[in-house]
Amino acid sequence: ILELSGKGVVTEPYQGATLRSLPVDKFSFTMAFHRRHVVFSTDRELAKQLIDGLSGTLPLNLNAEKTYQACGLSGKEHLGVYLEIKGLREALALGQTAPKVKEMLAKAGLDNLQAVAWSMRMNGPAFESRTALISAGQRQGALGMLDTQPISAEALKICRPGAPEAAGGRIKPEMVLTLLRGMLSSTAGAEAAARFDAADKKLAAAGKNLQLMLADAFTGEFVITRYAERAAPVGALSTEVGLAMLKDAGKAAAVLKEVMRLTVAARDP
C-alpha cells in the first residue's frame, strides 16, 4: 500500500522485518510484515515497539522517559497516574484552543505543562497523596507563585481534628502582595482592590516597598479550613477560618497598620 503511494516511502530493516514508512505531516505511517503478523502504525517508533513485543524483546518502558523520571514516581505507590500532556495536546490539536480557554490556562500556569503525575500511598489508617506538574521552562501564572518548600506542620494546627475540609500551601514570599491583591479583587471587588493599589502607590511614593515589607513579615504559608460539618446557610455566620503564618510579628503589625490606615483614608466617610 505504501509503495503504491509513490515517492517519499522510507524503508528500514528492523528485527528481521522491513519497515516501510510514509511521512505525512506529523505522522509516519508505517507498515511491516513480521512472522505471521501485519503491523500497521501511524508512528514508526511505535511500530518498532510492537515488533519488539512480538519478537519477545522487552519494549521501552516509562522509566526511560525524562518527563516520567522528573515526576518522581517509584512504581511502589498503591495508586499512581501518569499523563503526558505534551502528547495529548498534539493529538487533540489543542494549539487551536479557544482564546478564552488559553487565557484561563495561562493564568493558572497550565499552558506549558509537559506531564502530570499523581500517586497515593497508604500510611496506617491514613493516606498520603502527591501531585507532580512538569512544565517546559519556569512555571508561570498561579503555579508560578508556589514555593519549593512544603507547608509546615505548625501552620496546619489551625485545622481541628476531623475538619471537613482544609486547604493550605506555601507561596514565594515575594508573591504575598500578588496573592493579597488577587484575593481582594475576587472577594471584595474591584473597588477594594483599587484602594489597595492606591495604598501601594502612596507607600512607594514615600520610598517604601510593600512587596518587600510583606515578604519580611510573612512566611508565605496560607491555610483555609472549616469548623462546621456543613456549610453555613444563607445569612448565617461563616465557619471558615484562614491563617497566614508570620515571619516577624512586629513587622506584620506595622505593615498591616500602615496599609489599613491608607485604605481606610481612601474610603468615602
Side-chain angles (χ1 to χ4, degrees), residues 38-83:
V38 178
V39 176
F40 181 75
S41 170
T42 56
D43 181 79
R44 185 189 308 164
E45 295 304 315
L46 179 58
K48 290 181 179 180
Q49 291 187 35
L50 292 171
I51 292 175
D52 285 342
L54 292 171
S55 62
T57 305
L58 288 176
L60 289 174
N61 56 35
L62 281 173
N63 289 323
E65 294 289 336
K66 290 185 178 180
T67 51
Y68 181 80
Q69 295 171 13
C71 286
L73 291 173
S74 66
K76 297 180 181 180
E77 298 84 0
H78 294 95
L79 287 176
V81 177
Y82 172 77
L83 178 62

Side-chain angles (χ1 to χ4, degrees), residues 145-185:
M145 296 174 64
L146 296 176
D147 200 345
T148 56
Q149 298 300 314
I151 193 169
S152 66
E154 189 68 26
L156 295 173
K157 287 182 179 179
I158 191 175
C159 307
R160 71 169 176 82
E165 63 183 42
R170 184 196 289 263
I171 65 170
K172 299 172 183 176
E174 64 269 22
M175 288 294 179
V176 173
L177 176 61
T178 304
L179 178 67
L180 289 177
R181 181 182 284 116
M183 291 173 63
L184 269 175
S185 180

Side-chain angles (χ1 to χ4, degrees), residues 107-254:
K107 286 183 178 180
L110 300 172
D111 55 332
N112 63 349
L113 279 185
Q114 300 294 293
V116 174
W118 173 85
S119 63
M120 187 187 77
R121 181 170 62 113
M122 297 306 298
N123 185 1
F127 68 88
E128 301 171 1
S129 65
R130 179 179 177 274
T131 302
L133 305 172
I134 307 301
S135 60
Q138 189 172 352
R139 290 182 302 191
Q140 303 293 329
L143 286 178
M145 296 174 64
L146 296 176
D147 200 345
T148 56
Q149 298 300 314
I151 193 169
S152 66
E154 189 68 26
L156 295 173
K157 287 182 179 179
I158 191 175
C159 307
R160 71 169 176 82
E165 63 183 42
R170 184 196 289 263
I171 65 170
K172 299 172 183 176
E174 64 269 22
M175 288 294 179
V176 173
L177 176 61
T178 304
L179 178 67
L180 289 177
R181 181 182 284 116
M183 291 173 63
L184 269 175
S185 180
S186 60
T187 58
E191 188 177 343
R195 286 196 294 268
F196 184 77
D197 288 338
D200 185 11
K201 291 179 181 178
K202 287 182 180 179
L203 287 171
K208 298 180 179 180
N209 189 319
L210 182 57
Q211 183 181 27
L212 294 179
M213 292 167 69
L214 290 170
D216 288 340
F218 294 91
T219 66
E221 295 173 275
F222 291 88
V223 179
I224 297 176
T225 185
R226 188 154 51 87
Y227 272 60
E229 292 299 326
R230 295 182 180 179
V234 176
L237 293 175
S238 172
T239 61
E240 291 180 335
V241 179
L243 167 82
M245 289 290 287
L246 299 180
K247 185 186 298 182
D248 188 307
K251 290 182 179 179

Side-chain angles (χ1 to χ4, degrees), residues 2-3 9-22 28 30-33 43-48 51:
L2 290 172
E3 287 173 346
V9 176
V10 179
T11 302
E12 178 185 356
Y14 185 78
Q15 295 276 36
T18 300
L19 300 178
R20 293 179 175 84
S21 303
L22 179 65
S28 53
T30 304
M31 185 176 182
F33 294 96
D43 181 79
R44 185 189 308 164
E45 295 304 315
L46 179 58
K48 290 181 179 180
I51 292 175

